[in-house]
Amino acid sequence: MAEQLVIRLHADADQAVEWIKTDASGARHGAPRQGLLDSAVADAAGLNLIALVPADDVLITQAEVPARGNRLLQALPFALEEQLADDIDSLHFAAGARRSNGKTPVAVIDRTRLENYRERLIGAGLEPVAVYAEMQGLQKLPGTISLLIDDDLIIANDGADIELALRGLSPGDALVAIGALDDTDDDDDSKPLPKHVLVYLDE
């Protein structure tokens, strides 16, 4: 499979970024690297560039909208308007493939902020083919809860439809938020616990 370069940006433009080569399935090719943004240019030569932007900047949600294509994109701002604090005209909406439950996953980001990330990349000589929230860069494994613990940020997914990022909480709180643990005191054990949890840690 063709290689691509996945680069993880941070809100602070002066902070070092991380990048790694992967194939189209997400399998790693080599070790991750870190440095200033323009240091990634040589590694990006000839590869499709995927950018991951900070989870704090992106709302990941879902919407039940029967439309498809351009009509879907036109309907999403109004379908999600009550969930959003910002003016929908200032936001960029991106939709994923409709899931088996009939709902469509949606990413929402401030349009100006998204453009600032693109300008940082292009200014360094990097042209992204796609931009995702960093929580979407955490691999989904069926039947497995995956957690990335990075300083005070925890990124989690349930291996299926739920993916979220939490700041300032414990890993246990993240498992409760994702529905993997019950935080009540009752002894009802009718809800099965996950059989596998995969945890990634920073240094």
Side-chain angles (χ1 to χ4, degrees), residues 19 51 72 84 107 113:
W19 66 92
L72 171 64
L84 305 169
R113 192 163 296 179

Side-chain angles (χ1 to χ4, degrees), residues 65-73 75 98 104:
V65 180
R68 296 181 183 273
N70 288 337
R71 290 180 183 236
L72 171 64
L73 292 177
R98 182 170 291 155
T104 299

Side-chain angles (χ1 to χ4, degrees), residues 11-62:
D12 182 355
D14 296 325
Q15 185 175 349
V17 300
E18 300 90 36
W19 66 92
I20 190 168
K21 291 181 181 179
T22 74
D23 63 26
S25 72
R28 291 173 21 162
H29 285 203
R33 301 188 63 189
Q34 184 176 33
L36 297 178
L37 192 54
D38 56 7
S39 303
V41 172
D43 285 344
L47 304 180
N48 286 332
L49 176 68
I50 309 295
L52 302 178
V53 300
D56 294 339
D57 290 340
V58 186
L59 170 68
I60 300 293
T61 186
Q62 54 185 356

Side-chain angles (χ1 to χ4, degrees), residues 75-195:
L76 282 177
F78 304 101
L80 298 172
E81 190 170 12
E82 292 184 2
Q83 298 181 38
L84 305 169
D86 297 322
D87 182 349
I88 59 174
D89 292 331
S90 69
L91 302 174
H92 175 80
F93 295 79
R98 182 170 291 155
R99 292 173 172 154
S100 58
N101 63 5
K103 295 184 178 181
T104 299
V106 184
V108 185
I109 184 171
D110 179 85
R111 188 175 284 114
T112 300
R113 192 163 296 179
L114 174 61
E115 193 55 37
N116 287 341
Y117 286 123
R118 283 181 45 79
E119 287 174 0
R120 276 167 55 183
L121 289 162
I122 293 170
L126 298 162
E127 177 69 46
V129 297
V131 177
Y132 294 94
E134 62 183 333
M135 63 275 246
Q136 295 173 299
L138 181 60
Q139 185 178 16
K140 288 186 176 181
L141 301 170
T144 300
I145 305 294
S146 295
L147 299 177
L148 168 66
I149 303 174
D150 185 0
D151 196 20
D152 68 337
L153 175 69
I154 297 178
I155 296 174
N157 70 55
D158 68 345
D161 295 338
I162 300 175
E163 51 194 354
L164 49 80
L166 302 169
R167 198 171 286 280
L169 297 178
S170 72
D173 292 331
L175 291 171
V176 170
I178 210 168
L181 291 179
D182 188 351
D183 62 350
T184 63
D185 294 327
D186 61 38
D187 295 325
D188 180 11
D189 57 0
S190 60
K191 181 178 179 181
L193 294 176
K195 293 186 177 179

